[in-house]
Each structure stands twice: as structure tokens, then as C-alpha cells.
Amino acid sequence: MNLAVVMGGYSDESVISLRSGQLILNQIDRSKYQPFEVHVLLSEWYCLIDNEKYPINKTDFSFTKGDKTIKFDVAVNTVHGTPGEDGHLQAYWELIDLPYTGCNYYQSSLTFNKRDTLSVLSKFNIPKANSIYLTKGAVIDGEKIVAELGLPFFVKPNQSGSSLGVSKVDTLDQLDKALEFAFAEDTEILIESYLNGREVSVGVLKYKGETKVLGITEILSQNDFFDYEAKYLGKSDEITPARISETIENRVVEMAKKIYESLGMTGFSRTDFIIMNDIPHFIEINTNPGLSPQSIFPQQATFAKIAMTDLLDNEIQLALQRKSIWKK
């Protein structure tokens, strides 16, 4: 079975995606699958074989090597950010009838949009921070924001990952810089109240027909919060399992499963919470969690004693099952 291990993307997260893709290439069961390294970049799409690029034909996502055209049976999606985490690639693959791993185009688009995700989850009584949604060019009244959210608060791009463009604002004179930082990533932003508590990250997936929590990781950032540097440049301690009581652990597991199922998710995910007053408060869900050696999801798989090879095999089988549903 030919697998396109798709990596790269059009955002600043592409460098993280390349690491995730390499883990897939290293962990995939080659007795079952023939993986190909496929790069989807803003400048070009290509399959990389022995350091030589073979352009991807966007008509059917195939490529030609010599006199042979290679077509894929499944696309394994490891693209963080756009176009692999916001639904664009998923919609394209469905149009050309190519099975792919992870959630479908609607769930991808929904969960990549923080405002829309919070709106959907509000119907399910999920505890979360208070927030204000703003678009670029809007009149922004700092005093009004403080009156509604208090200090400190967070400024975030509405559609971005890996904590890119996120700032913590402790005083109003920091607001303009935080807005500039966030608007550099997106034309829409969220300003969220500060949740003072313990941060945890939870790996959730559909495994062998059930919604399964892999583990709960406690995050201790050496910076002011779990920013890009803390996530990827070693500026944090990640403790699995989290040092929480059994009662709180059960609440986190129940909440993580509820969010996963309420959003109609399939595939790998990582949901982040702040535990405040013993209650897990939702921060965000990532539908293409990082799979680099530094990433949390592989650590949780190790804790759950499930080989990445088995998790990947499960994902590929789910992708093929979804294609059988399309055909009906």
C-alpha cells in the first residue's frame, strides 16, 4: 500500500511539520506500507526520493518517476497549520477520492478556528476562559478589555498553532505590541482572561472503535507561559503522568473525551486545559498534534504502552473505512 506521508505547509509551523513527518517515516510498518515523503509547500508540491524532487500532479496527487506514475492509497497528514490543519487539504483529498488520516475537512476547519470551537463547545457546558473576539482594523479600547477580562490577559491569533503570535499582557502598555504580534499571524484575534492554575495536555484519539485518552501531561514552562520556545526549544518540563489527584484526573479524562466526541472528532488530537479550582478549563484542541521527538503526543503513547506503529496502523485503517462510507 502506497502512503503519502504529507508534511510542510504554508505557515511558520512547517518546520515542526517536517519533524513530525520524519517520525512517521521512521515508525511506519514497512512490511505493510510503502511510505513516500511528500512535501506540500507554498512554492511547490513534490515527492522527495534520494534527495531528488518529483513534482506532485495536483489533478490526482500522483507523481511520475521515469516512465512510471505512482499513485497513493492513503495520505498520512502531518501538516500543522494551513493547509493541512484547517480543512483545505482534506477537502481537496475528498474531491479526488483519496483517503486521508485525521478528522475530516469540517472538523479541521472548525477546530482551527478558536472562536468557532468555543462557540460550539459553549452548548456543552465546557468550562473555559472569558474572551473577546476582534478583527484587524477594529477600534480597540484597552480600558474596556480590562474591565471585562481583568489583568493579566492573553492575546492570541484566532487561527494559528504552536503558540505563534500569542502574548500575555500584564499591563495595558503591553497591549499594542501584543496586538501587532497577533495580527502578524491572523486578521482575527481572541483576547482571553487569564486562568491561574496548572496546565495539562491530553492526547485523545479514536482507537479500536473507542475514544481513548493516551495520558495526561503536566506542563511546567520556564517562560511566562507555554509559548513556542517552551514547546519546541526545551524551555519547559513535561511530566507524564501529571501530578494530580485521581479525582481531578478522572475529571480531565471525562472532559477530554466529551470535547472530542462533542466536536465529532476522529484521528489524533491533543487538548489543552488549565486546572483552576480543581476544574479543568478548556484552552484549545489540536487536530494535528506535533509528532517530533520533542512533542507531547509521542510521549503519551509511550506512557500508554502503545507503539506508534500500532497507532499509525489504526489511523490508516480508519482512513480506509471512511472512504468506504464515501462510496455509499
Side-chain angles (χ1 to χ4, degrees), residues 180-247:
E180 182 181 355
F181 191 44
F183 279 129
E185 295 292 331
D186 192 14
T187 58
E188 306 170 1
I189 65 169
L190 277 182
I191 302 179
E192 293 186 339
S193 61
Y194 176 66
L195 297 173
N196 186 17
R198 179 173 293 179
E199 183 166 359
V200 297
S201 191
V202 188
V204 188
L205 75 158
K206 193 73 71 176
Y207 186 65
K208 296 185 177 179
E210 297 182 2
T211 300
K212 181 174 180 59
V213 170
L214 286 181
I216 303 173
T217 298
E218 181 179 354
I219 296 167
L220 300 173
S221 177
Q222 296 172 23
N223 293 345
D224 210 15
F225 63 96
F226 196 44
D227 58 7
Y228 183 93
E229 190 178 49
K231 284 183 177 178
Y232 300 112
L233 302 179
K235 295 288 186 176
S236 68
D237 295 314
E238 297 157 3
I239 302 168
T240 308
R243 300 169 299 179
I244 53 180
S245 68
E246 184 178 351
T247 299

Side-chain angles (χ1 to χ4, degrees), residues 1-4 28-36 70-76 99 313 316-317 319-320:
M1 187 179 294
N2 289 337
L3 300 183
I28 202 74
D29 185 349
R30 292 177 183 256
S31 69
K32 291 183 178 180
Y33 309 110
Q34 174 61 59
F36 292 86
I70 308 295
K71 293 188 176 182
F72 300 112
D73 298 294
V74 176
V76 179
D313 190 56
I316 292 163
Q317 295 309 312
L320 293 170

Side-chain angles (χ1 to χ4, degrees), residues 29 40 116 144 147 171 193 200 234 243 247 285 319 325:
D29 185 349
V40 170
D116 292 354
K144 186 176 180 181
T171 59
S193 61
V200 297
R243 300 169 299 179
T247 299
I285 184 169
I325 294 173

Side-chain angles (χ1 to χ4, degrees), residues 117-302:
T117 303
L118 293 172
S119 178
V120 170
L121 291 178
S122 68
K123 312 298 182 184
F124 297 92
N125 300 316
I126 305 295
K128 59 188 184 304
N130 296 322
S131 62
I132 297 170
Y133 168 79
L134 295 168
T135 57
K136 196 166 189 176
V139 176
I140 297 174
D141 186 335
E143 297 289 350
K144 186 176 180 181
I145 292 170
V146 172
E148 186 170 342
L149 302 181
L151 282 169
F153 55 75
F154 281 96
V155 178
K156 304 177 177 181
N158 186 43
Q159 299 187 81
S160 181
S162 296
S163 296
L164 294 168
V166 178
S167 299
K168 183 184 176 189
V169 174
D170 294 297
T171 59
L172 262 185
D173 59 3
Q174 298 172 348
L175 178 58
D176 287 345
K177 183 177 180 181
L179 292 171
E180 182 181 355
F181 191 44
F183 279 129
E185 295 292 331
D186 192 14
T187 58
E188 306 170 1
I189 65 169
L190 277 182
I191 302 179
E192 293 186 339
S193 61
Y194 176 66
L195 297 173
N196 186 17
R198 179 173 293 179
E199 183 166 359
V200 297
S201 191
V202 188
V204 188
L205 75 158
K206 193 73 71 176
Y207 186 65
K208 296 185 177 179
E210 297 182 2
T211 300
K212 181 174 180 59
V213 170
L214 286 181
I216 303 173
T217 298
E218 181 179 354
I219 296 167
L220 300 173
S221 177
Q222 296 172 23
N223 293 345
D224 210 15
F225 63 96
F226 196 44
D227 58 7
Y228 183 93
E229 190 178 49
K231 284 183 177 178
Y232 300 112
L233 302 179
K235 295 288 186 176
S236 68
D237 295 314
E238 297 157 3
I239 302 168
T240 308
R243 300 169 299 179
I244 53 180
S245 68
E246 184 178 351
T247 299
I248 297 176
E249 178 185 347
N250 290 337
R251 288 176 186 168
V252 173
V253 168
E254 181 182 346
M255 189 71 70
K257 286 183 175 181
K258 182 178 181 180
I259 289 167
Y260 189 92
E261 292 171 352
S262 297
L263 294 172
M265 285 292 303
T266 57
F268 295 172
S269 74
R270 200 193 72 240
T271 307
D272 299 334
F273 297 95
I274 297 289
I275 300 172
M276 188 170 70
N277 301 324
D278 293 342
I279 301 297
H281 288 65
F282 173 78
I283 303 175
E284 65 178 354
I285 184 169
N286 299 275
T287 59
N288 261 5
L291 298 177
S292 70
Q294 296 81 21
S295 299
I296 291 171
F297 194 90
Q299 297 176 32
Q300 294 177 338
T302 299

Side-chain angles (χ1 to χ4, degrees), residues 62-120:
S62 66
F63 71 95
T64 300
K65 183 182 180 186
D67 59 357
K68 187 177 181 181
T69 296
I70 308 295
K71 293 188 176 182
F72 300 112
D73 298 294
V74 176
V76 179
N77 181 18
T78 68
V79 176
H80 309 314
T82 189
E85 201 169 3
D86 57 5
H88 293 175
L89 275 178
Q90 291 87 339
Y92 158 70
W93 285 326
E94 288 199 22
L95 283 172
I96 64 171
D97 206 26
L98 177 63
Y100 57 88
T101 60
C103 58
N104 69 22
Y105 69 91
Y106 172 74
Q107 271 72 30
S108 298
S109 178
L110 170 66
T111 54
F112 197 66
N113 187 305
K114 295 180 178 68
R115 179 197 64 172
D116 292 354
T117 303
L118 293 172
S119 178
V120 170

Side-chain angles (χ1 to χ4, degrees), residues 2-8 17 20-25 28 34-40 46 61 72 74-79:
N2 289 337
L3 300 183
V5 181
V6 187
M7 62 193 78
S17 173
S20 296
Q22 292 304 318
L23 182 138
I24 300 292
L25 291 169
I28 202 74
Q34 174 61 59
F36 292 86
E37 182 175 340
V38 176
H39 292 238
V40 170
Y46 60 86
F61 206 66
F72 300 112
V74 176
V76 179
N77 181 18
T78 68
V79 176

